[in-house]
Amino acid sequence: MEDHRVTIYEVAERAQVSISTVSNVLNKPDRVSPATRARVLAAADELGFVPKAQAVSLARRATGRIGVMAPFTSYGSYLRRLAGVLSAAAELEIDVVVFDHESAASASSPVLASMPIHGRLDGLIVMGLPIEDAIAERFRERKLPTVAVDANSALFSRIVVDDHEGGRLAAAHLRDRGHRRVGYLLERQATDYESQAITRLAGFEQVMEAAGGSIVVATSENSVDGARRAASALLETEHRPTAIMAHHDLLAVGVLLAARDRGLRVPADVAVMGFDDGEVATAADLTTVRQPFEESGSAALNILLGHIEGSRVRSTTVLDVQVVERSTT
């Protein structure tokens, strides 16, 4: 007797929603409220639902296609990580499907939650985004091999840079140049989790406080203009910082503009540092902390392929960072 295959109608009945709502949750999840989306996904999980069109490919797990999700449009650094994935994938003739998420400072994407139900991917790389516990558990139950890049995960293999050490290196660089009153500019977070910005700040504080220094922390929008306004406030204080560290290079450009607005010389009046070492840093001749973007992407693909082929060993790969000194310090 043939096994019963769960239909979309049964999912709709279990979740007490319409067929179109179930379809939207699976294909256009941003159109559905979080509460309804969670109810539909829970019903799909309970029933073991697999869309009919994907059942065959899911069974053989050989679509030759992986997904990559990251906040690409918000941070150019993730495009460089993607380039590492694409370069390695091209050599192996693997298709890559790209999913954008608005910001690494906000909660994980609704698209992420429904992804393992489709069966359209052999594996998934998630970059720079927190994977909520319920979503991570769904990935595991649905057997979707997943690798996290530049993000924490208790369930999946990870590729990370040592953000804490990056903060320490930046602080040591400024400390060794005599700076003890410093500002630190990071992106304003929409959710409360230990992001890369928070981890870098912790390393920075550790070194600077040990040297007897003081740190004023400011937040801004993820834009040059937002950083420019936030840095202006730092530079207008009576005891302005002699150096400002920015969470990434784009924010550091805003700091440079704020210094110029006030006629301050860089680095004579205020030193400025960034993090990433992308094209922005080169153009601005910015001292920054370099991280290996392309290497992180190719490493993530290699580890993901191992999981797709059956490896169950969870690993954490930590990539080194280094200070690149230019004219701004």
Side-chain angles (χ1 to χ4, degrees), residues 82-104:
L82 176 63
V85 175
L86 294 175
S87 177
E91 295 180 7
L92 299 171
E93 297 184 351
I94 296 171
D95 291 335
V96 178
V97 182
V98 177
F99 303 89
D100 186 42
H101 179 53
E102 181 179 359
S103 173

Side-chain angles (χ1 to χ4, degrees), residues 168-180 207-208 211 329:
R168 286 177 50 82
L169 288 174
H173 179 80
L174 296 176
R175 176 202 62 196
D176 293 348
R177 281 147 188 79
H179 298 286
R180 295 296 183 272
V207 170
M208 194 56 66
T329 58

Side-chain angles (χ1 to χ4, degrees), residues 68-82 98-106 127-129 187 222-224 248 250:
V68 182
M69 172 170 276
F72 295 114
T73 54
S74 296
Y75 309 93
S77 59
Y78 288 105
L79 292 174
R80 291 181 59 189
R81 286 190 171 91
L82 176 63
V98 177
F99 303 89
D100 186 42
H101 179 53
E102 181 179 359
S103 173
S106 61
M127 298 180 172
L129 304 173
E187 181 186 353
N222 182 43
S223 67
V224 171
H248 59 73
L250 191 69

Side-chain angles (χ1 to χ4, degrees), residues 21 24-25 28-43 108-111 113-114 138:
T21 297
N24 280 335
V25 167
K28 301 173 182 176
D30 54 322
R31 295 187 179 183
V32 184
S33 72
T36 300
R37 191 166 63 235
R39 194 163 73 247
V40 170
L41 290 173
S108 57
S109 164
V111 174
S114 62
R138 178 173 296 117

Side-chain angles (χ1 to χ4, degrees), residues 227-255:
R228 190 176 193 172
R229 290 190 294 270
S232 293
L234 285 175
L235 295 172
E236 286 172 354
T237 58
E238 182 179 357
H239 301 289
R240 71 168 184 259
T242 63
I244 297 178
M245 171 70 186
H247 169 54
H248 59 73
D249 294 339
L250 191 69
L251 299 184
V253 170
V255 178

